[in-house]
């Protein structure tokens, strides 16, 4: 068995937390303490976040999409694969080191996705982008922290609060979609989505995208 090697660390703005980028052969892992936040071998549910949302807006000729969280780029690459040539995708990533890893040690994982003219990367809090826009996006995809029950940064909780969800609804165009990834179910969050004015569908997805492995949850919430 090839041992894990620590490649780099990155501070999380607004917290005392530190992410670690680990590598074992061609496999990468991003860790926070003893928790694995993401692994390059497990991309199914993150990709589904994009494909499920894209299905909801497939009739939009020039979709404008906001992705919260770059991670290992699974959601971005899936969005680029299914959205048309007229799409505009903004990816917001809070941790500068994650962007540096995407362009450095994990460049092979990301392929040419960061050079795609449809996508731009902003090193900022996705909540800030949401607050700055009104009726601007056809879809907002959130893969921030561990979902509504966050691990990395207390400030992320506001994104999933009633106030944060109402801000996301305001930033969406009529009929727009808020898609949210989570490591597990959260009935209280699903209820908040409904109270914020969304029609909600909860989907269980395997982490691998196939049979077996842990189940993750994606909420597809449509602005009503």
């Amino acid at each position: 068995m090839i041992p894990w090697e620590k490649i780099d660390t990155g501070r999380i703005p607004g917290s005392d937390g530190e992410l670690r980028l680990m590598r074992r052969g061609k496999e990468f892992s991003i860790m926070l303490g003893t928790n694995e936040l993401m692994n390059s071998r497990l991309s199914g549910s993150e990709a589904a976040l994009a494909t499920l949302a894209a299905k909801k807006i497939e009739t939009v000729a020039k979709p404008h999409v906001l992705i919260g969280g770059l991670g290992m780029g699974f959601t971005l690459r899936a969005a680029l694969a299914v959205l048309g040539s007229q799409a505009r995708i903004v990816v917001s990533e809070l941790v500068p080191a994650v962007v540096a890893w995407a362009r450095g040690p994990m460049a092979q994982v990301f392929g040419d996705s960061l050079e795609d003219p449809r996508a731009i990367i902003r090193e900022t809090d996705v909540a800030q982008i949401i607050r700055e826009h009104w009726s601007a996006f056809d879809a907002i995809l959130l893969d921030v922290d561990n979902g509504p029950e966050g691990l990395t940064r207390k400030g992320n909780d506001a994104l999933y609060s009633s106030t944060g969800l109402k801000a996301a609804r305001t930033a969406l165009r009529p009929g727009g979609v808020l898609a949210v990834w989570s490591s597990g179910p959260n009935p209280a969050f699903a209820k908040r989505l409904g109270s914020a004015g969304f029609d909600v569908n909860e989907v269980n997805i395997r982490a691998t995208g196939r049979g077996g492995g842990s189940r993750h949850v994606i909420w597809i919430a449509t602005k009503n």
Side-chain angles (χ1 to χ4, degrees), residues 4 8 10 12 18-23 27-40 70-73 93 95 97-99 101-102 106 110 152:
W4 284 102
D8 195 14
I12 303 170
E18 182 179 74
L19 300 181
R20 303 191 315 280
L21 177 64
M22 309 293 292
R23 181 172 59 197
E27 179 183 2
F28 290 91
S29 173
I30 295 180
M31 303 283 297
L32 174 69
T34 60
N35 296 298
E36 183 177 64
L37 300 181
M38 59 200 77
N39 186 290
S40 59
L70 176 62
M72 292 187 174
E93 174 55 54
V95 183
V98 172
V99 179
W101 297 341
M106 291 197 296
F110 278 79
T152 66

Side-chain angles (χ1 to χ4, degrees), residues 100-177:
W101 297 341
R103 300 187 186 281
M106 291 197 296
Q108 188 171 0
V109 175
F110 278 79
D112 60 359
S113 61
L114 299 183
E115 281 68 52
D116 193 298
R118 294 173 292 170
I120 63 170
I121 310 298
R122 290 188 57 185
E123 293 184 18
T124 188
D125 189 344
V126 68
Q128 179 179 336
I129 296 179
I130 290 172
R131 289 193 301 267
E132 292 173 348
H133 289 80
W134 179 82
S135 196
F137 299 106
D138 298 291
I140 298 173
L141 284 52
L142 297 181
D143 184 7
V144 176
D145 209 322
N146 216 34
E149 293 184 354
L151 290 171
T152 66
R153 179 174 174 263
K154 188 65 177 175
N156 290 331
D157 292 347
L159 192 61
Y160 301 105
S161 68
S162 295
T163 300
L165 294 177
K166 289 176 182 177
R169 188 177 185 277
T170 298
L172 286 168
R173 292 170 177 164
V177 174

Side-chain angles (χ1 to χ4, degrees), residues 14 22 53 83 92 128 164 202:
M22 309 293 292
L83 295 174
S92 176
Q128 179 179 336
E202 184 173 315

